[in-house]
């Protein structure tokens, strides 16, 4: 299985030169450390930063420069800082090429549940609903199963939904999949992970093409 950092490394391979990308809290923010050197990408943090860079070294830490998860970050040349109102105007206006966010559940219809688990502390909805509605492309990063081994890729989400029919691509610690035709389509498997293991740990319909490749990190 992939580590959180390895999932982030695979996410960064999705970046294209000139992209404007929003990174959500958790695994997605780690992708800022792995942007390929040969491309220029503007990373957006919804609290009001466009041009987010990698995590700082100890000597670079600035307590006032934080991402949406309240972690200290750096800013690249050309970055800009603005209010959260302007940030969400960018998102709602469709100016973000794609967003990377975490999830509790995703189903075969492309629905996503990512903002609350009933009975547990809810800090707030955050910007996830705006992001899944406003971004042109959405990538979900998540572990394939929960801590009890239950699948998180399902036939139908059981938790309150964040967005409907919006997810097309998922990167987990086991595989890369797309959502297509009411099923998860396996595209890549993590090194050392078998197709049978992925099938066993996927709760929704899984289509397995003949040309599934091993993930390159």
């Amino acid at each position: 299985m992939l580590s959180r950092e390895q999932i982030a490394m695979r996410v960064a391979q999705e970046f294209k030169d000139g992209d404007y990308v929003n990174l959500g809290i958790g695994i997605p923010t780690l992708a800022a450390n792995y942007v390929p050197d040969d491309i220029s990408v503007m990373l957006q943090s919804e609290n009001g930063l466009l041009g987010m860079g990698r995590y700082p070294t100890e000597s670079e830490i600035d307590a006032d420069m934080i991402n949406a998860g309240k972690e200290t970050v750096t800013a690249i040349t050309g970055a800009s800082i603005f209010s959260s109102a302007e940030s969400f105007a960018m998102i709602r206006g469709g100016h973000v090429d794609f967003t990377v966010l975490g999830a509790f559940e995703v189903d075969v219809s492309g629905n996503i549940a990512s903002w609350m688990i009933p009975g547990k502390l809810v800090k707030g909805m955050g910007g996830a609903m705006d992001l899944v509605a406003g971004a042109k492309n959405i990538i979900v990063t998540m572990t394939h199963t929960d801590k009890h081994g239950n699948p998180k890729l399902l036939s139908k989400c059981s938790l309150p939904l964040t967005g409907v029919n919006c997810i097309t691509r998922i990167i987990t610690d086991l595989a890369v999949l797309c959502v297509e035709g009411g099923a998860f389509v396996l595209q890549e498997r993590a090194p050392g992970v078998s197709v049978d293991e992925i099938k066993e740990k996927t709760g929704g319909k899984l289509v397995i093409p003949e040309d599934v490749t091993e993930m390159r990190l």
Side-chain angles (χ1 to χ4, degrees):
M1 294 185 293
L2 300 183
S3 66
R4 289 164 54 88
E5 286 75 17
Q6 287 173 316
I7 295 174
M9 290 172 64
R10 179 60 187 81
V11 167
Q13 293 177 23
E14 300 288 319
F15 298 162
K16 295 180 177 61
D17 191 50
D19 274 347
Y20 288 81
V21 182
N22 176 278
L23 297 180
I25 296 171
I27 294 173
T29 55
L30 298 175
N33 282 345
Y34 303 108
V35 176
D37 293 332
D38 59 344
I39 65 172
S40 175
V41 175
M42 293 297 282
L43 301 178
Q44 193 225 28
S45 185
E46 67 190 52
N47 57 315
L49 171 61
L50 182 65
M52 181 170 61
R54 53 173 172 73
Y55 284 97
T57 62
E58 188 172 347
S59 63
E60 295 173 324
I61 291 176
D62 178 349
D64 292 324
M65 182 69 71
I66 60 171
N67 62 21
K70 299 181 177 61
E71 300 171 306
T72 52
V73 293
T74 59
I76 65 172
T77 301
S80 57
I81 298 170
F82 36 83
S83 72
S84 60
E86 290 176 294
S87 179
F88 277 91
M90 292 179 187
I91 294 166
R92 294 168 182 166
H95 303 294
V96 174
D97 292 307
F98 73 83
T99 186
V100 186
L101 72 165
F104 298 132
E105 296 175 344
V106 176
D107 68 27
V108 296
S109 296
N111 301 325
I112 176 174
S114 67
W115 72 280
M116 73 168 293
I117 297 176
K120 292 192 175 183
L121 176 66
V122 180
K123 295 183 179 180
M125 190 178 297
M129 289 187 176
D130 294 278
L131 287 162
V132 298
K136 299 170 186 176
N137 189 20
I138 303 163
I139 295 176
V140 170
T141 64
M142 60 195 300
T143 54
H144 215 89
T145 63
D146 64 22
K147 61 183 179 181
H148 303 294
N150 300 310
K152 295 168 67 173
L153 281 71
L154 307 170
S155 296
K156 185 177 181 180
C157 289
S158 63
L159 297 173
L161 296 182
T162 307
V164 176
N165 300 328
C166 57
I167 304 305
T168 57
R169 196 161 178 80
I170 307 158
I171 300 176
T172 78
D173 53 344
L174 300 183
V176 176
L177 312 96
C178 65
V179 180
E180 189 176 290
F184 298 114
V185 180
L186 180 61
Q187 296 182 317
E188 300 175 23
R189 57 181 179 81
V193 174
S194 69
V195 171
D196 286 341
E197 181 179 358
I198 296 166
K199 185 175 181 180
E200 178 185 349
K201 294 181 177 179
T202 303
K205 181 181 178 182
L206 179 65
V207 175
I208 304 173
E210 293 183 0
D211 58 344
V212 176
T213 59
E214 185 174 282
M215 203 182 298
R216 293 185 178 181
L217 300 172

